[in-house]
Amino acid sequence: IFTVASASGAGKSTICRELCHHFLKRNLKVGYIGLEESVQRTLQGLVGIDLNIPLHLNEDGITKDDLRIAFDNLTSTRNLFLYNHFGSLEPDVLLEQIRYLATVDAVKVVILDHITIVTSGLELENERRAIDVTMTKLRSLCESTGIALILVSHLRRPQGQSHESGREIDTSDLKGSSGLLQLSDVVLGASRNQVGEASERQRLQLKILKSRHTGMTGEVDKLLYDQKTGRLIVYENTFGDL
């Protein structure tokens, strides 16, 4: 389980689509469950990555043939499975959908964006308990099926400076319960100052909050959102050529 945590609007969905495109290009079967966006928006984002243009903002110079070729590149191998659902989803229904993707469709990676909405609408204490139970079941599901699960989580609202204004992310900021941290193999924080100067708003700082296998934590790459291509590129590589 690989958990991506950041504030609302920081770029979690953009990261997920980049990862999905990366896996598809390497001929891996991917199941994508985007609970905050339509299937059309997810596919538009993936096709835009393939064309290096943010299609949701600009289609200048892109022909129908260009769109068709990019679409075929991503779907002709039948490796992409999009779950046609928008909004909250009962945890047990979600688990069955992921199990179906793993056992029937034989996907290798499932992207869930995001787990927080699965338990939305519950009282705080019930939400924490629901996330704990759901995470335990997701962990068992990953172990029994062998899939990799990329999980998106929102952050709780802190006192003082908000995460939207560039506050650093800590493990205690994960929204819900400690189950998110305990049952994830890797937790990646992504933060950016959404109200700063233009150059700051485009930079996304990645930080490893947990790594079960290596124990290494701390800031890693800094990504830059390229407005012309709609892509995330490495702006500052912490480890150089490594």
Side-chain angles (χ1 to χ4, degrees):
I1 298 180
F2 185 101
T3 298
V4 180
S6 74
S8 179
K12 297 183 298 297
S13 296
T14 304
I15 292 174
C16 285
R17 287 192 287 267
E18 285 278 3
L19 290 172
C20 182
H21 183 268
H22 172 84
F23 295 137
L24 290 173
K25 284 297 186 179
R26 282 148 185 80
N27 204 32
L28 287 174
K29 285 191 174 184
V30 182
Y32 199 112
I33 304 175
L35 297 180
E36 278 194 320
E37 62 184 23
S38 65
V39 167
Q40 289 79 9
R41 175 66 187 95
T42 301
L43 193 55
Q44 182 187 51
L46 291 171
V47 171
I49 288 174
D50 207 66
L51 291 171
N52 281 314
I53 188 167
L55 291 177
H56 65 295
L57 299 176
N58 179 23
E59 292 188 17
D60 291 347
I62 300 297
T63 67
K64 289 185 177 180
D65 284 341
D66 293 330
L67 292 173
R68 187 177 298 109
I69 291 171
F71 177 84
D72 289 343
N73 283 341
L74 294 174
T75 62
S76 60
T77 57
R78 299 183 181 274
N79 280 347
L80 176 62
F81 297 83
L82 301 176
Y83 184 61
N84 190 14
H85 181 84
F86 186 85
S88 61
L89 186 64
E90 290 293 328
D92 287 340
V93 176
L94 169 69
L95 288 159
E96 285 305 311
Q97 292 299 327
I98 295 176
R99 185 178 297 278
Y100 186 92
L101 286 169
T103 57
V104 178
D105 296 322
V107 304
K108 298 300 182 183
V109 181
V110 173
I111 297 173
L112 173 58
D113 183 11
H114 55 90
I115 190 172
T116 316
I117 202 172
V118 177
T119 56
S120 62
L122 298 176
E123 294 180 0
L124 182 60
E125 193 59 37
N126 290 334
E127 181 187 35
R128 289 173 177 168
R129 190 178 302 113
I131 290 178
D132 268 341
V133 172
T134 303
M135 282 298 297
T136 300
K137 291 181 177 179
L138 284 171
R139 181 80 223 185
S140 297
L141 185 57
C142 289
E143 295 294 338
S144 63
T145 61
I147 62 168
L149 177 64
I150 296 176
L151 196 64
V152 172
S153 174
H154 279 183
L155 302 174
R156 68 183 68 194
R157 191 165 296 279
Q159 294 183 346
Q161 183 185 13
S162 68
H163 291 107
E164 288 81 3
S165 59
R167 178 189 178 110
E168 284 194 15
I169 300 174
D170 191 75
T171 54
S172 61
D173 294 323
L174 271 68
K175 189 174 182 180
S177 73
S178 58
L180 277 168
L181 179 65
Q182 291 172 355
L183 296 172
S184 297
D185 294 292
V186 176
V187 179
L188 175 72
S191 59
R192 70 182 178 96
N193 187 350
Q194 301 178 46
V195 295
E197 299 293 330
S199 59
E200 285 187 283
R201 296 198 301 269
Q202 290 178 254
R203 294 198 294 267
L204 186 66
Q205 177 65 61
L206 303 182
K207 182 179 181 182
I208 300 295
L209 303 176
K210 175 186 177 180
S211 177
R212 186 189 305 277
H213 302 298
T214 69
M216 296 177 65
T217 59
E219 290 187 351
V220 283
D221 289 353
K222 186 174 288 184
L223 305 181
L224 178 71
Y225 179 76
D226 189 330
Q227 292 181 326
K228 292 182 179 179
T229 65
R231 302 292 302 274
L232 290 171
I233 59 176
V234 175
Y235 171 78
E236 184 178 314
N237 188 331
T238 302
F239 298 110
D241 295 333
L242 295 179

